[in-house]
Amino acid sequence: MTRTTYGDNLVVTDRGGVVENTHEIHAAVTDADGRLLFYVGNPHRITLIRSAAKPMQALAVVETGGADQSSFDSVDLALMCASHSSEERHVQRARQMLVKVGATEDDLRCGGQPSITPQVTEGWWRDGVTPTAVYNCCSGKHAGMLAGAKALGAPLTDYHLHDHPIQQRVKRAVEEVARLPPSEIIWGIDGCNMPAPAYPLISLSHSYALFAKASSDLGRDAATTERERWMGRIYDAMARHPEQVGGDGRFCTMLMEAFEGRLIGKLGADACYAIGVKESEETRRLGARGALGLAVKVGDGNYSILYAVLAHLLEQLRIGSSGEREALKAFHELKMVNSVGVQTGTVNFQYKLHSVL
Amino acid sequence: MTRTTYGDNLVVTDRGGVVENTHEIHAAVTDADGRLLFYVGNPHRITLIRSAAKPMQALAVVETGGADQSSFDSVDLALMCASHSSEERHVQRARQMLVKVGATEDDLRCGGQPSITPQVTEGWWRDGVTPTAVYNCCSGKHAGMLAGAKALGAPLTDYHLHDHPIQQRVKRAVEEVARLPPSEIIWGIDGCNMPAPAYPLISLSHSYALFAKASSDLGRDAATTERERWMGRIYDAMARHPEQVGGDGRFCTMLMEAFEGRLIGKLGADACYAIGVKESEETRRLGARGALGLAVKVGDGNYSILYAVLAHLLEQLRIGSSGEREALKAFHELKMVNSVGVQTGTVNFQYKLHSVL
């Protein structure tokens, strides 16, 4: 018989000391040269990166000239990279982006859905709001795609389909930033109806390190290509407008607010996550060259466990001060309490963070 | 490095053919003699059975004489075994039980919480309802415990604590029905603030087979002990009032409605489940003596996967007709669709159901 697996890559929750749930963790920590520095589980796990692809999707859009032609500012850029909470500020901004593009909500090919934040959905129910496409957490990305399609002179209809010129640009941008041949990236369809790439965690981690490096290079006028400059601007947009990338109380927002520009972080659905950290004494201490990337996937798609693991990994790697990481305490020290507030168990980080160097 | 585990006890979801999430499954199929007939993963997994303990908790209450003294009928008995959806009929019934006991909502030691069914919670938000203790999905069980405490002449206060006389009765009932010594059962605290036992899945499966056997014996006047008669009545209460045990659209309710008295099924939080099937040609074909029990735990606590696995196991074991199992189709053939209704992937039952006999 199969024994219950207790590998070296698990988070285990208990109740009264008895194992309740087990969650498999995979993580890769790399640098801007793509070298693997640390890992948990299988850093080569082929992973559907979902919305962690947004910075690369935004890159494809800005490289068409579409962002400039539509007069998108850095807040718009941040919303293109967002899985926002559909708060009023996000929905309004998405509407404004559509106006700038010269498109309407009818052009969006995503559907309406509940907010990622239950309190926001609760408010809609109270106020009788029916969420339409512009309320979709990916509406900024979709508005951006319309700008890209327009700049390419391609039809706005079907901008979400794999064969559309803007999606072919996305495909190439994802391949090139991941430094992978087309044959090593597999495409599915995302929750918001756009192509969704799958590739190894180590390459996702590398991609985010490249965004962080591009921002540093941009800041000291050392960016040598148009692409690097755009990657730096995308990083800066996310880092400067974290409230657009997630929302009130969301991990992405609180992480980037706490680190004040020193990193970007982005959630992907089903508990995938990527972080890019600018080069500093901290990243050099970890053996990184240029910048540091971190990519994580929880095997069963559990978000609470994902956030706890991210906060725990930042602590293990000593990225940021304890003061900065304090902002993530509620995510890190997951409270296992019942309906009357009694603590019933704990979260145990039983995985091993392997060092490669 | 750890390779991503693809054991023989997994459910795997994919997106465009790429593995998205993996879920570890453990299951035990036994008969009323406690013999293991089939299993998935580790049938001996020590599992916090959570609300799957409710028939045993109800047994402890009725054996105090408390149910009779409070004039509980079979609907009340069913609600004592429920993780109900807090629909109006459930909340009203729980209030009536409190009146019968001579207690008030202030005596309940569970807290209010959202309904298991989001649409019910949505209704509360629309109507400005704040869920109090009587709305808790376990309010029937808690009202029952008050009846038991009263029958024992014990204080109503603190009926939920491990040392209270009614909980000591529960402890003994759980041990005796599981046929396990006290040392093999570990107790935590449940979400509703009552003691929660943990023990091997195989023993949970056995317990439910015993409830099914008791109902058959009761029906043909062959029950020989007071306990057997009570176990038969608890089974019958659940089987006759499935709408009390869960709620509209809930798996427990739809399963029991479809099988019209031939089985009972009960959910436990964090994706544990137990089913007891009365002896029939079907159970004998599977090699069972007396009745059949089935217990399942999804390692990471995912409910959608749990329900899909249960429907799949019933099909694999050919329990019920295809017409009866049709009622569970929406749980079995989980639709992986996105915000505009496009199918994005599939659910793959990659586990092996091992036969022991």
Side-chain angles (χ1 to χ4, degrees):
Chain A
M1 292 174 194
T2 315
R3 301 305 302 177
T4 309
T5 56
Y6 296 108
D8 78 342
N9 65 327
L10 292 184
V11 169
V12 176
T13 64
D14 78 272
R15 182 175 295 269
V18 181
V19 170
E20 182 126 54
N21 297 323
T22 56
H23 305 276
E24 207 175 70
I25 310 302
H26 303 283
V29 179
T30 64
D31 64 13
D33 287 351
R35 296 182 312 143
L36 185 67
L37 307 175
F38 299 89
Y39 67 91
V40 177
N42 176 12
H44 301 284
R45 184 188 189 278
I46 309 290
T47 301
L48 285 144
I49 70 168
R50 312 292 297 274
S51 284
K54 277 174 177 150
M56 285 78 89
Q57 291 168 318
L59 179 63
V61 168
V62 296
E63 289 186 340
T64 65
D68 285 341
Q69 287 169 31
S70 292
S71 305
F72 285 168
D73 61 19
S74 69
V75 178
D76 299 322
L77 262 190
L79 200 72
M80 284 169 62
C81 298
S83 299
H84 60 69
S85 296
S86 317
E87 297 162 9
E88 195 55 29
R89 58 183 165 187
H90 303 130
V91 177
Q92 284 308 330
R93 175 61 65 161
R95 287 195 210 277
Q96 289 161 9
M97 288 175 72
L98 288 171
V99 171
K100 288 183 189 176
V101 174
T104 71
E105 193 174 347
D106 286 345
D107 294 314
L108 295 177
R109 292 292 170 267
C110 53
Q113 58 186 19
S115 166
I116 291 173
T117 300
Q119 291 86 331
V120 173
T121 309
E122 184 182 333
W124 297 345
W125 285 344
R126 283 213 180 96
D127 302 341
V129 172
T130 301
T132 51
V134 82
Y135 289 82
N136 189 298
C137 65
C138 305
S139 60
K141 176 176 75 173
H142 280 254
M145 290 290 163
L146 286 168
K150 199 174 172 190
L152 291 172
L156 296 194
T157 320
D158 296 342
Y159 69 84
H160 63 298
L161 297 182
H162 196 265
D163 291 336
H164 188 281
I166 187 64
Q167 296 305 335
Q168 287 301 302
R169 291 288 197 114
V170 167
K171 183 172 178 292
R172 211 154 64 230
V174 167
E175 290 161 5
E176 289 170 3
V177 177
R179 309 280 165 94
L180 289 171
S183 61
E184 291 191 24
I185 300 183
I186 311 162
W187 293 81
I189 300 172
D190 215 326
C192 73
N193 212 20
M194 223 176 264
Y199 54 87
L201 280 177
I202 185 174
S203 302
L204 175 60
S205 172
H206 184 195
S207 296
Y208 271 66
L210 291 174
F211 275 93
K213 179 176 187 300
S215 171
S216 294
D217 289 348
L218 186 69
R220 54 192 171 89
D221 268 335
T224 54
T225 66
E226 188 64 15
R227 165 157 294 174
E228 280 172 15
R229 280 186 284 276
W230 272 122
M231 288 176 72
R233 280 181 213 136
I234 289 169
Y235 176 105
D236 291 350
M238 294 175 70
R240 283 178 197 156
H241 310 290
E243 77 288 352
Q244 295 296 331
V245 179
D248 285 341
R250 293 271 307 282
F251 185 89
C252 286
T253 299
M254 294 179 73
L255 172 70
M256 289 191 280
E257 282 178 352
F259 280 79
E260 296 181 325
R262 292 165 53 211
L263 58 72
I264 56 167
K266 182 69 194 73
L267 174 68
D270 283 286
C272 167
Y273 207 92
I275 292 177
V277 188
K278 280 185 172 183
E279 184 176 2
S280 70
E281 189 47 54
E282 282 171 0
T283 61
R284 283 192 292 272
R285 175 180 43 74
L286 293 168
R289 295 180 193 146
L292 187 113
L294 166 62
V296 177
K297 163 74 183 172
V298 179
D300 58 70
N302 187 299
Y303 292 104
S304 300
I305 297 299
L306 172 70
Y307 295 140
V309 165
L310 287 164
H312 190 68
L313 283 173
L314 290 175
E315 182 178 278
Q316 285 186 294
L317 294 167
R318 287 186 290 138
I319 296 174
S321 66
S322 58
E324 285 163 329
R325 293 192 306 261
E326 179 75 13
L328 306 175
K329 193 177 173 187
F331 295 102
H332 192 178
E333 299 170 9
L334 261 185
K335 277 213 184 353
M336 311 292 277
V337 296
N338 68 15
S339 65
V340 290
V342 171
Q343 186 180 352
T344 55
T346 57
V347 179
N348 307 278
F349 301 95
Q350 298 190 356
Y351 58 78
K352 180 163 170 48
L353 178 63
H354 298 269
S355 172
V356 177
L357 297 185
Chain B
M1 293 172 193
T2 315
R3 301 304 302 176
T4 310
T5 56
Y6 295 109
D8 77 341
N9 66 326
L10 292 183
V11 169
V12 176
T13 63
D14 79 272
R15 181 175 295 267
V18 181
V19 169
E20 182 126 54
N21 298 323
T22 56
H23 306 275
E24 206 175 71
I25 310 301
H26 302 284
V29 179
T30 65
D31 64 13
D33 286 352
R35 296 182 310 144
L36 185 67
L37 307 175
F38 300 89
Y39 68 90
V40 176
N42 177 12
H44 301 285
R45 183 188 190 280
I46 308 290
T47 301
L48 285 144
I49 70 169
R50 312 291 298 275
S51 284
K54 277 174 178 152
M56 285 77 87
Q57 290 167 318
L59 179 63
V61 168
V62 296
E63 288 185 341
T64 65
D68 285 342
Q69 287 170 31
S70 292
S71 305
F72 285 168
D73 60 19
S74 67
V75 178
D76 299 323
L77 263 190
L79 200 72
M80 284 169 62
C81 299
S83 299
H84 60 69
S85 297
S86 317
E87 296 163 9
E88 194 55 29
R89 57 183 165 187
H90 302 130
V91 176
Q92 283 307 331
R93 175 61 64 160
R95 287 195 209 279
Q96 289 161 10
M97 288 174 72
L98 288 171
V99 170
K100 289 183 188 177
V101 175
T104 71
E105 194 174 347
D106 286 343
D107 295 314
L108 294 178
R109 292 292 171 266
C110 52
Q113 56 186 22
S115 166
I116 292 174
T117 300
Q119 291 85 333
V120 173
T121 310
E122 184 182 332
W124 297 345
W125 285 344
R126 284 214 177 96
D127 301 342
V129 172
T130 301
T132 51
V134 83
Y135 288 83
N136 188 297
C137 66
C138 305
S139 59
K141 176 177 76 173
H142 281 254
M145 291 289 164
L146 287 168
K150 200 172 172 192
L152 291 172
L156 297 194
T157 319
D158 297 341
Y159 68 85
H160 63 297
L161 297 182
H162 196 264
D163 291 336
H164 189 281
I166 186 64
Q167 296 304 336
Q168 288 299 303
R169 291 289 198 113
V170 167
K171 184 172 177 292
R172 211 154 65 230
V174 167
E175 290 161 4
E176 289 170 2
V177 177
R179 309 280 166 94
L180 289 171
S183 61
E184 293 192 23
I185 300 182
I186 311 161
W187 293 81
I189 300 171
D190 215 326
C192 72
N193 212 20
M194 222 175 264
Y199 54 87
L201 280 176
I202 185 173
S203 302
L204 175 60
S205 172
H206 185 194
S207 297
Y208 270 65
L210 291 173
F211 275 94
K213 179 176 187 300
S215 171
S216 295
D217 288 348
L218 186 69
R220 54 192 172 87
D221 268 336
T224 53
T225 66
E226 188 64 17
R227 165 158 291 176
E228 280 173 14
R229 281 187 285 276
W230 271 123
M231 288 177 72
R233 280 183 213 133
I234 289 169
Y235 176 106
D236 292 349
M238 293 175 71
R240 284 180 197 155
H241 309 290
E243 77 288 353
Q244 295 296 332
V245 180
D248 285 340
R250 293 271 307 283
F251 185 89
C252 286
T253 299
M254 294 179 75
L255 171 71
M256 289 190 280
E257 282 178 351
F259 280 80
E260 296 181 325
R262 292 165 54 210
L263 58 72
I264 56 167
K266 184 68 195 71
L267 174 68
D270 284 285
C272 167
Y273 206 92
I275 292 177
V277 188
K278 281 187 171 182
E279 184 178 1
S280 70
E281 190 46 55
E282 282 170 359
T283 60
R284 283 191 292 270
R285 175 179 43 73
L286 293 168
R289 295 180 193 146
L292 188 116
L294 166 63
V296 177
K297 163 74 183 173
V298 180
D300 57 71
N302 187 298
Y303 292 104
S304 300
I305 297 299
L306 172 70
Y307 295 140
V309 165
L310 287 163
H312 190 67
L313 283 173
L314 290 175
E315 181 178 277
Q316 285 186 294
L317 294 167
R318 287 185 290 137
I319 295 174
S321 65
S322 56
E324 285 162 331
R325 292 192 306 262
E326 179 74 14
L328 307 175
K329 194 177 172 186
F331 295 102
H332 192 178
E333 300 170 8
L334 261 186
K335 279 216 185 350
M336 311 292 276
V337 295
N338 69 14
S339 66
V340 291
V342 171
Q343 185 179 354
T344 55
T346 57
V347 179
N348 307 279
F349 302 94
Q350 297 191 357
Y351 58 78
K352 180 162 172 48
L353 178 63
H354 298 269
S355 173
V356 177
L357 298 185

